[in-house]
Amino acid sequence: MYRDIVEELSRFHRRKSEHHADAVLEASAFAILLVLSDDRARTLRELTDELDLEQSTVNRQVNAAIKHGHLERFEVEGSLSRLIRPTEYGRDAFVHDGMLRVGRLKQVFADLTPGTPDALLRELRAFNEAYDRTLRAERRDDPVREHG
C-alpha cells in the first residue's frame, strides 16, 4: 500500500509542471506570483525560503520573470535588500493562468466520483500538517543537524 501511495504522490508531483496550452506564464513565474499573491513584497531570500529552492534557482527565475515584465524589484529606504513584487501585467497574467487551472480542476472534480473539492482539501491539509510534524520531530531527533 505504501508503495502505491508513493507512486500516486509521484504522479501528482509530475503534474505540477503540466502546462496549459493557453497559459501566459512559465510554471516558475506562476509559483513566484502565487507566493506574492498575498500582496506582500518579498526579498529574494524570503522567496527562496517559501519556494524551498536554491537561491541561485530563484534568482534565475525572478530575473526571467522581470525580463518578461511579470515582476519588478524596488528599493525600500533603510533596507539593504531590494524587494520583489508583481507588476500589473504579472498580476493579470497570474489571474489568467489561475483561472485556467481552476477550469481544469473543475473538470477533474466533475469527473471524480465519489469525491469533492472540500473533502480533498481537508485530507490534503491533514496529510501535510502530519507530514510537517513528522519532519519537525525528525529534525529535533537528528544529532547531526543539532551539531552542524
Side-chain angles (χ1 to χ4, degrees):
M1 176 180 66
Y2 289 106
R3 182 192 174 288
D4 290 343
I5 290 172
V6 169
E7 186 176 312
E8 291 304 317
L9 289 172
S10 293
R11 282 179 65 196
F12 184 75
H13 181 73
R14 286 191 303 268
R15 286 196 172 66
K16 81 176 189 178
S17 62
E18 192 68 32
H19 197 73
H20 195 286
D22 296 326
V24 175
L25 298 166
E26 293 185 15
S28 61
F30 187 87
I32 293 167
L33 286 162
L34 180 60
V35 169
L36 296 170
S37 67
D38 64 0
D39 292 326
R40 188 174 67 81
R42 308 289 201 291
T43 63
L44 184 63
R45 181 83 226 143
E46 289 172 319
L47 283 175
T48 297
D49 291 344
E50 291 186 54
L51 293 167
D52 196 25
L53 296 170
E54 294 293 323
Q55 186 162 343
S56 61
T57 300
V58 175
N59 189 47
R60 187 180 72 253
Q61 293 173 349
V62 165
N63 286 333
I66 289 171
K67 179 181 173 188
H68 288 97
H70 300 126
L71 297 174
E72 63 184 358
R73 281 192 176 98
F74 65 100
E75 294 188 22
V76 176
E77 191 173 327
S79 175
L80 297 175
S81 299
R82 292 189 301 166
L83 296 179
I84 301 160
R85 66 181 169 206
T87 62
E88 194 62 36
Y89 177 64
R91 280 189 203 89
D92 291 345
F94 176 74
V95 169
H96 174 269
D97 285 12
M99 294 310 295
L100 292 174
R101 290 169 184 238
V102 166
R104 182 178 278 161
L105 285 174
K106 285 182 177 181
Q107 286 180 311
V108 168
F109 280 108
D111 186 45
L112 180 68
T113 48
T116 65
D118 291 340
L120 178 60
L121 180 59
R122 276 192 309 277
E123 292 294 323
L124 281 173
R125 278 190 178 148
F127 176 84
N128 282 324
E129 290 300 320
Y131 207 98
D132 288 345
R133 285 191 301 273
T134 300
L135 291 177
R136 283 192 300 271
E138 287 175 1
R139 287 182 189 124
R140 281 192 306 269
D141 295 339
D142 186 352
V144 173
R145 286 184 189 259
E146 289 176 11
H147 297 97

